[in-house]
Each structure stands twice: as structure tokens, then as C-alpha cells.
């Protein structure tokens, strides 16, 4: 069991691991989010240094990044995940499909605004991911309240380490609470009485690490995969020990560096450009001031004074007999247009680092189907691995933990017998998740177009029999992501085709009956004509 000294020793080790990247984070914060510049001091600045920034391009690009990821992966207006199986045929079996749908709706409901602040915290989670390359969200049930805590954890409070596979298995959160707040969070502190002053600020460490005594066959703390310990360096007699079945801190990394614990993100790539742009814009402001109020060259102090300069002023004696001015503005010969063009290049580089153009085009409604699939392919080429990490490191563990909490509370329905030994899968249904099928859809369209060309070239329409139209429709529906109502249910399609076949059969019967009647009438007319002819011949 870990005690206070064990936790503090391990915390010092995690501090040493993080220390080399803190300078980079601080420099990035100065340029992109000044309110986090003090993340390591624990003292919030009354006035963040926004007055030291002369261009908002980086902040706008970072906002577009977090908003784009949030809006396209976890938008509350969309059903962005559901449960499924690797066996797709079994998943389509009605009792199984119904059970999966009901349980996914229960898990999805735990993110509703009335039960969680997830949707208000997720932009901060993704914002830190874009700016610093790492974002952390904590998930915990408020026992007895039917609600969940889902706060985005500030980067300055986060200390991590990874296992042999590179996955985060150790997380320390160092945070501060006043004595009054600490008693609310930890009621056992009331027993310490006067040792806890309501107005004094105390540091707390929440340490989560693999449980060395873990045994999946046991119950209680020994049956928890992760050990949880709360301690306070100032309140040495306080310790709270517990455990988790799954890691409650969901750490998403943008790009891992080989041999490094901490990752890098778009903010690292944009930092040099942002620093240069900020300095260039400061220079442009100075240049604009000189242009509006230039330095004046004069022969001596008596020639001209600042008090003489105001709109509409008439200054006598400032030209000689030949009309040459005795005082004139300083012309530096600077080419401001060239500098402005360089600033534009810096802005474009920053926006590219944050995938700004991609985020702006995600919801463009004017795209044709071909343009949309081409855009999806380009999008995935740029961001595919990163989107996969957001799902595997962040969303999947979060949803799985939600499912576990519901199961432990007895809110998951008993599964049908067909699901025995069948592991559940999380299927993402957000717009960005559907984009991952863009390549398959594009290849399908190319195949259909190619077969049409073959049929036209060979004059053999039978070539098109190789194409399963229903399969093509399903692939395109999945990739382009229209509402489910845009595609008929397969049972409704089968019924519609049956009705169409019956109608065609009826038309065929009517056509055949018409033809038979026409033949009968023709035969009758022929017989009548033959009779009349016979009668005429007999009369003669």
C-alpha cells in the first residue's frame, strides 16, 4: 500500500519527467493562450498578457481547431457513438440489434446536459490537445446523484508516465483547495478540526497508478486494476485510498515522440511562425504610426516645433526664397508591402498547422458528392492517425468507463444468450468518424463508373450485372453520412419491390388478356367473313 512518502517520492519523479517540456509549454501559452501562462506557478494572473499580443491569428486558428474537433466528433446534436459487434451478421439479428441499441442509448444519455458537463468541458479538452499536444479529461460518478463529473484537467496540474507499450498508466493531479473547499470534497477532514483553516490554501495530490495487488478474481480494492490515493503535503495525517477498474483520467496525445513521455501538437509547429508574426505585427504598428505621424527633419530648433503641427495649421517661414522646405518628413524608404506579404505567409503557415482550412470546409454544404469524397480523402490523409488517437485514447476509454459504471449500478439489461463471449465494440457515428470510410466509397464510385464505361465500350449491358446496387447504396450512405431516414429500411425496400413486382405481373396479365381478346376478335371477324363469303357463293 502506498503512503504519503511513497506518493511524494513518485510525484517528484513525475515532476522531473515533465520539467524539460515546461519551457516549451510556457512559450506556447504566451503566444496562444496567455491565461495559461501561469499554469506552473499556481497563482492566477489578474490580467493575462493579452496586451503583449499584436495578432490574433493563432488564437483564432486554435479556436477553430477545438471547435472543429468538438463539433464533428462529439456534437450533442448527433448520435456520435453506438455499440456494435465484430460479427456484423449477429449484430443485425433483431434481438441483438435491439439490445445493443438500448444499451448504447443508456450510455449516450450519461453525457446529456442534465447529467454531465461533458459538452461544456470537451472544447477545453480538445483545445489543450491542439495547443499543447495533450489534453486530459477526468470522469467520475457522483454517487447517489445520478450525475457525472467530467472536468477538463488543466495541463499545469497533470503529471503522467507511460507503460512499456507507451500507454498512460500513471497520472498525478496536483491541485489546490481552500480549507472550506477541502472539507466539502473530503468530509473526513472535519475530524482534523482546527488543523484545517477554511481560508488557508492546501495542495492535494491525486495519484492513480497500476494496483500492484490486482487480482481480477477478487472483490474490493484488490479487484481494482488501478490504485487511487489522495494525499496532502501540508496535512500529513490525511490519506484517502480507493481504486478504479479503468483509468479515470483520459489523456489524448496528438503526436508521440519516440522515447518521450510527453507529445507535441499543432501548437509546437505553429510556435515559431506565431512568434515571428507577433514581432512583425508589432513592427507594422510602429511603421503605421510613423506613416501617420512621421519624424520631421529640421535645420534647427527654431525652425519647427511639435506645437506647430495640427490639422489646418499655417506655418510661416518654413520655405526659402526658392520654395524649398526648411523642414520635411523623414523618408526611410521602407517597403511595407513586402513586409505585409511576409506576414500573410506566416498567417497561412499558422492556419495550416492547425488544419484551419480543413475545419472551415468540414461543414461546407455546397460540395458535390465527388468533391465531398475527395475532400474526405484529403482530410483523412492529413488527420487520420490523429483522429484515431482521439478515439482510442480518449473517447473509447471514456465510453467504456461509462458502460462499466452503468453495469455496476445494475442499469445494463441482461444480454441475449447469443452475446455470450462476444466482446462489445464502440462504433463511432459522428461526421468525422464516417469520413474514415471515404476511401471505400470513392473506390466504389470509381468501380461503378469504370463498369459503365466497359458496358458502353463493349455494347454489353450485361456487364452491369456484376454490380450489387444495394451494397453500393449502403457504402455511400455510410460514407456520406446523411440522416438515417434518407435510406429506406431493407425490409421496406423488399416490400416495395414485391409490390412493384405484383404490379408488373398485373400489367403483364392485363397485356396478355388484351392480346388474347384481340386474337379472339380477329378470329371471330375472320370466321364471320368466311361465313359471309360462303353464303354469297351459295346464292350465286
Amino acid at each position: 500500500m502506498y503512503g504519503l512518502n511513497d506518493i511524494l517520492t513518485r510525484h517528484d519523479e513525475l515532476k522531473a519527467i515533465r520539467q524539460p517540456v515546461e519551457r516549451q509549454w510556457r512559450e506556447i501559452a504566451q503566444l496562444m493562450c496567455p491565461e495559461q501562462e501561469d499554469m506552473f506557478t499556481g497563482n492566477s494572473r489578474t490580467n493575462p498578457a493579452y496586451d503583449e499580443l499584436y495578432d490574433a491569428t493563432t488564437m483564432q486558428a486554435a479556436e477553430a481547431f477545438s471547435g472543429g474537433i468538438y463539433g464533428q466528433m462529439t456534437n450533442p446534436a448527433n448520435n456520435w457513438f453506438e455499440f456494435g459487434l465484430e460479427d456484423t451478421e449477429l449484430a443485425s439479428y433483431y434481438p441483438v440489434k435491439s439490445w445493443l441499441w438500448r444499451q448504447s442509448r443508456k450510455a449516450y444519455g450519461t453525457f446529456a446536459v442534465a447529467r454531465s458537463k461533458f459538452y461544456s468541458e470537451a472544447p477545453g479538452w480538445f483545445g489543450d490537445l491542439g495547443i499543447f499536444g495533450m489534453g486530459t479529461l477526468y470522469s467520475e460518478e457522483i454517487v447517489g446523484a445520478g450525475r457525472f463529473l467530467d472536468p477538463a484537467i488543466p495541463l499545469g496540474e497533470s503529471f503522467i508516465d507511460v507503460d512499456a507499450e507507451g500507454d498512460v498508466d500513471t497520472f498525478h493531479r496536483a491541485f489546490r483547495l481552500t480549507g472550506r473547499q477541502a472539507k466539502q470534497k473530503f468530509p473526513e477532514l472535519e475530524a482534523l478540526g482546527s488543523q484545517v483553516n477554511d481560508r488557508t490554501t492546501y495542495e492535494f495530490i491525486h495519484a492513480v497508478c497500476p494496483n500492484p495487488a490486482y487480482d481480477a478474481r477478487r472483490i474490493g480494492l484488490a479487484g481494482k486494476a488501478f490504485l487511487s490515493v489522495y494525499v496532502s503535503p501540508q496535512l500529513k495525517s490525511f490519506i484517502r485510498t480507493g481504486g478504479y477498474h479503468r483509468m479515470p483520467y483520459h489523456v489524448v496525445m496528438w503526436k508521440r515522440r519516440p522515447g518521450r513521455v510527453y507529445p507535441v501538437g499543432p501548437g509546437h509547429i505553429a510556435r515559431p511562425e506565431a512568434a515571428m508574426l507577433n514581432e512583425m505585427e508589432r513592427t507594422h504598428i510602429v511603421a503605421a504610426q510613423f506613416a501617420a505621424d512621421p519624424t520631421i527633419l529640421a535645420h534647427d530648433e527654431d525652425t519647427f516645433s511639435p506645437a506647430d503641427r495640427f490639422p489646418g495649421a499655417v506655418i510661416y517661414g518654413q520655405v526659402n526664397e526658392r520654395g524649398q522646405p526648411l523642414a520635411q518628413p523623414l523618408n526611410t524608404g521602407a517597403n511595407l508591402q513586402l513586409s505585409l506579404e511576409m506576414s500573410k505567409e506566416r498567417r497561412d503557415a499558422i492556419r495550416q498547422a492547425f488544419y484551419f482550412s480543413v475545419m472551415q470546409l468540414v461543414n461546407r454544404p455546397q460540395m458535390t458528392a465527388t468533391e465531398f469524397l475527395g475532400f474526405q480523402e484529403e482530410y483523412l490523409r492529413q488527420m487520420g492517425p490523429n483522429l484515431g488517437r482521439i478515439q482510442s485514447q480518449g473517447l473509447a476509454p471514456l465510453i467504456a468507463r461509462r458502460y462499466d459504471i452503468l453495469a455496476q449500478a445494475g442499469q445494463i439489461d441482461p444480454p441475449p444468450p447469443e452475446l455470450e463471449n462476444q466482446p462489445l465494440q464502440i462504433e463511432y457515428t459522428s461526421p468525422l468518424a464516417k469520413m474514415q470510410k471515404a476511401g471505400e466509397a470513392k473506390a466504389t464510385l470509381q468501380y461503378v463508373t469504370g463498369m459503365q464505361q466497359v458496358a458502353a465500350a463493349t455494347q454489353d449491358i450485361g456487364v452491369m450485372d456484376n454490380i450489387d446496387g444495394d451494397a453500393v447504396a449502403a457504402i455511400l450512405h455510410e460514407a456520406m453520412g446523411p440522416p438515417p431516414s434518407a435510406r429506406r429500411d431493407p425490409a421496406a425496400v423488399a416490400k416495395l419491390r414485391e409490390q412493384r413486382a405484383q404490379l408488373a405481373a398485373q400489367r403483364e396479365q392485363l397485356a396478355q388478356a388484351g392480346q388474347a381478346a384481340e386474337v379472339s376478335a380477329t378470329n371471330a371477324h375472320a370466321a364471320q367473313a368466311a361465313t359471309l363469303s360462303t353464303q354469297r357463293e351459295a346464292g350465286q
Side-chain angles (χ1 to χ4, degrees):
M1 190 65 66
Y2 287 100
L4 174 63
N5 292 333
D6 299 316
I7 297 299
L8 294 182
T9 298
R10 180 59 170 148
H11 193 64
D12 288 338
E13 294 174 356
L14 298 183
K15 281 183 176 180
I17 294 174
R18 196 184 78 172
Q19 193 272 333
V21 303
E22 292 181 359
R23 181 181 62 82
Q24 290 181 340
W25 285 354
R26 189 177 292 108
E27 292 175 353
I28 291 172
Q30 290 172 350
L31 293 166
M32 303 179 192
C33 49
E35 69 276 4
Q36 295 195 54
E37 184 182 348
D38 60 345
M39 67 175 75
F40 308 113
T41 65
N43 300 316
S44 299
R45 290 181 58 165
T46 305
N47 297 309
Y50 284 101
D51 55 351
E52 298 174 11
L53 295 179
Y54 301 97
D55 189 275
T57 299
T58 307
M59 291 185 288
Q60 292 169 350
E63 284 293 321
F65 175 89
S66 62
I69 296 294
Y70 168 82
Q72 295 299 316
M73 295 198 78
T74 59
N75 191 335
N78 301 321
N79 293 326
W80 47 275
F81 76 88
E82 57 188 32
F83 294 143
L85 301 173
E86 184 176 353
D87 187 341
T88 56
E89 290 189 10
L90 178 59
S92 63
Y93 176 54
Y94 181 77
V96 173
K97 181 178 180 180
S98 176
W99 184 88
L100 291 171
W101 185 86
R102 291 196 309 272
Q103 312 325 307
S104 65
R105 292 307 86 199
K106 290 180 180 180
Y108 189 79
T110 64
F111 295 98
V113 175
R115 302 185 66 184
S116 166
K117 293 182 178 180
F118 171 78
Y119 292 115
S120 62
E121 293 289 327
W125 185 22
F126 298 135
D128 282 350
L129 173 65
I131 295 175
F132 302 103
M134 183 180 108
T136 301
L137 188 85
Y138 176 69
S139 179
E140 184 61 275
E141 178 190 14
I142 304 177
V143 179
R147 297 180 62 248
F148 293 84
L149 284 173
D150 292 307
I153 304 302
L155 203 62
E157 297 180 358
S158 305
F159 301 84
I160 64 171
D161 201 359
V162 297
D163 60 17
E165 305 300 326
D167 297 322
V168 175
D169 70 341
T170 302
F171 193 99
H172 280 205
R173 181 190 177 192
F175 59 100
R176 297 173 182 271
L177 297 174
T178 65
R180 183 182 66 85
Q181 294 169 333
K183 290 176 184 178
Q184 293 173 344
K185 184 173 181 62
F186 308 109
E188 58 266 39
L189 289 177
E190 292 285 356
L192 298 180
S194 59
Q195 294 183 39
V196 183
N197 189 307
D198 285 356
R199 297 183 178 180
T200 301
T201 299
Y202 300 91
E203 181 183 7
F204 290 87
I205 297 173
H206 183 204
V208 179
C209 61
N211 186 355
Y214 173 61
D215 185 346
R217 299 167 298 180
R218 301 179 62 182
I219 61 174
L221 185 59
K224 303 294 180 65
F226 289 91
L227 190 65
S228 166
V229 183
Y230 283 95
V231 298
S232 172
Q234 292 86 17
L235 304 172
K236 299 186 182 300
S237 59
F238 165 74
I239 186 169
R240 175 191 280 189
T241 303
Y244 300 100
H245 289 290
R246 295 180 184 269
M247 169 66 76
Y249 290 98
H250 308 295
V251 181
V252 181
M253 299 183 180
W254 186 255
K255 182 180 180 181
R256 283 291 309 279
R257 297 178 292 182
R260 306 285 184 90
V261 172
Y262 288 89
V264 296
H268 290 76
I269 299 173
R271 184 182 66 83
E273 305 289 351
M276 181 179 294
L277 178 62
N278 195 56
E279 184 62 25
M280 292 175 70
E281 287 305 295
R282 186 191 68 80
T283 303
H284 290 159
I285 292 173
V286 174
Q289 290 175 326
F290 272 113
D293 187 12
T295 300
I296 302 298
L297 302 177
H299 183 267
D300 54 45
E301 294 182 3
D302 296 332
T303 303
F304 195 80
S305 70
D308 296 325
R309 300 179 61 208
F310 57 90
V314 178
I315 305 176
Y316 296 96
Q318 296 308 306
V319 295
N320 58 22
E321 295 81 357
R322 295 186 298 274
Q324 295 173 334
L326 301 179
Q328 58 185 3
L330 173 64
N331 182 9
T332 63
N335 186 349
L336 187 58
Q337 184 60 38
L338 176 61
S339 182
L340 291 174
E341 291 177 1
M342 292 178 63
S343 290
K344 182 180 182 301
E345 292 176 359
R346 303 282 79 73
R347 290 190 180 93
D348 291 343
I350 291 169
R351 289 169 178 147
Q352 184 177 0
F354 280 99
Y355 304 91
F356 185 81
S357 60
V358 173
M359 295 302 177
Q360 295 299 303
L361 286 172
V362 164
N363 290 319
R364 202 180 97 187
Q366 301 88 354
M367 288 185 181
T368 65
T370 303
E371 289 176 334
F372 182 69
L373 290 176
F375 163 70
Q376 288 179 313
E377 186 177 44
E378 176 64 16
Y379 185 91
L380 291 176
R381 185 185 67 80
Q382 295 184 41
M383 298 187 65
N386 308 102
L387 297 179
R389 278 189 286 272
I390 293 175
Q391 293 174 346
S392 64
Q393 297 176 350
L395 298 179
L398 174 64
I399 297 168
R401 178 162 163 73
R402 281 288 210 272
Y403 181 89
D404 287 350
I405 291 174
L406 291 174
Q408 293 165 14
Q411 296 187 30
I412 296 297
D413 299 336
E418 292 82 2
L419 285 180
E420 185 177 358
N421 299 323
Q422 290 286 338
L424 296 184
Q425 290 186 339
I426 298 172
E427 297 180 353
Y428 299 99
T429 56
S430 67
L432 284 189
K434 290 178 179 178
M435 282 186 180
Q436 294 176 328
K437 295 185 179 292
E440 182 180 357
K442 186 176 181 180
T444 301
L445 282 179
Q446 290 174 340
Y447 172 70
V448 172
T449 301
M451 295 301 288
Q452 290 173 337
Q453 293 173 349
V454 171
T458 61
Q459 297 296 310
D460 182 6
I461 194 63
V463 171
M464 301 304 294
D465 295 339
N466 291 283
I467 297 175
D468 186 339
D470 288 341
V472 171
I475 292 171
L476 297 183
H477 180 273
E478 187 71 18
M480 295 182 179
S485 58
R487 182 170 178 242
R488 285 193 176 98
D489 182 87
V493 172
K495 185 175 181 181
L496 185 63
R497 288 173 175 170
E498 181 181 357
Q499 293 173 349
R500 189 181 296 121
Q502 291 175 352
L503 183 59
Q506 291 173 0
R507 289 174 177 171
E508 179 68 19
Q509 290 175 357
L510 289 174
Q512 291 176 356
Q515 291 175 358
E518 184 177 353
V519 170
S520 177
T522 300
N523 292 336
H525 290 153
Q528 184 180 14
T531 301
L532 290 174
S533 177
T534 302
Q535 291 175 351
R536 290 192 192 99
E537 291 176 355
Q540 293 177 355

